[in-house]
Amino acid sequence: MEAAGLAAGVAGLAGLFSTCVECFDYIQLGRQFGQDYGKCLLKLDAARLQLSRWGVAMGLGTVENAGLQHKQQHLAFNISSQEIKLAQSLLMQILDSFEEAKRMSAKYMGYVSSNSVNGSADLIVSNPNTTAIGAEYRRMHLTMLELAGQRQKDVGIRKKAMWALYEKKKFDRLIDDVTVFIGQLVGLFPAAQEEQRALCKMEIVKFPQRQDLALLNDIVPGDDQILSGEITRKMAGRGHFYTNLVASENSQVRAGDDNASGMNSRGNVYNGLNASGNSVVHLGNVNRGLRPRR
């Protein structure tokens, strides 16, 4: 492809990327999500964050670190015409996934309006600013929203109307489809993955609390292997985070490290324990002796 044609292809890719990222700005979740609302909200945030990270590494988004500027611009303009077409196809599939979910939402709204005894009450949407989702969920939502927003170019007045998903199964399908396509975008350009790894390290710094990092690891899509790997490495130095432990009947549970003589490990965080029956639960690390003095 000639230089002019390649530049036009990259420009078109940048436009598609921006449109895909904007899709996340217009989606809302219905009140029926209940206690799943916070986690689903973060799953949307995590998918947008991964997509924005890919765009920055490709030179399609706003650069956070001036040190990456040259590499990103160089990379974006040194991809083949075939790679551009494949990337455009994947971005179009992301757009199609949102459009399909939007059509299903409109169909559901029509059905509820005609058949539900509660009428419009079943179509109330949750607002992350007012819905009770827990301090950790709210804190992480705002942090990921800020990170992704910093990477968007020309963020201004909304261009489209908001819409909502009311059924969790439809939400799960949307997230599954979108994250698979984003993962394929990442895999398509292995040369951009080092920049994405550097961006992941910057993201993790924004989550200094151990429980936040554990929650992030829980909601990060399986296709985001770069962020997942960086979280695992970071958590290895922060101890463990246990949540919603259950012990019943005659079970014996130990939540912590069993360290050999001379070894030690960091403290852990425990959030939620339900013990019943004759169960025995040990929380904490076991250190089997100190290293002898020399």
Side-chain angles (χ1 to χ4, degrees), residues 50 175-176 178-184 186 220-226:
Q50 184 187 13
I175 283 294
D176 288 345
V178 168
T179 54
V180 164
F181 295 139
I182 296 174
Q184 290 175 353
V186 173
V220 164
D223 295 280
D224 195 351
Q225 297 180 7
I226 298 177

Side-chain angles (χ1 to χ4, degrees), residues 226-276:
I226 298 177
L227 179 57
S228 181
E230 291 303 317
I231 291 175
T232 299
R233 277 186 280 274
K234 192 69 174 180
M235 288 182 67
R238 292 191 182 183
H240 306 295
F241 180 77
Y242 298 92
T243 182
N244 298 327
L245 293 172
V246 177
S248 60
E249 298 181 355
N250 297 313
S251 62
Q252 296 185 11
V253 177
R254 172 181 289 175
D257 295 332
D258 189 341
N259 297 311
S261 178
M263 302 300 292
N264 203 346
S265 55
R266 295 181 179 272
N268 307 313
V269 174
Y270 301 90
N271 182 17
L273 170 63
N274 184 359
S276 60

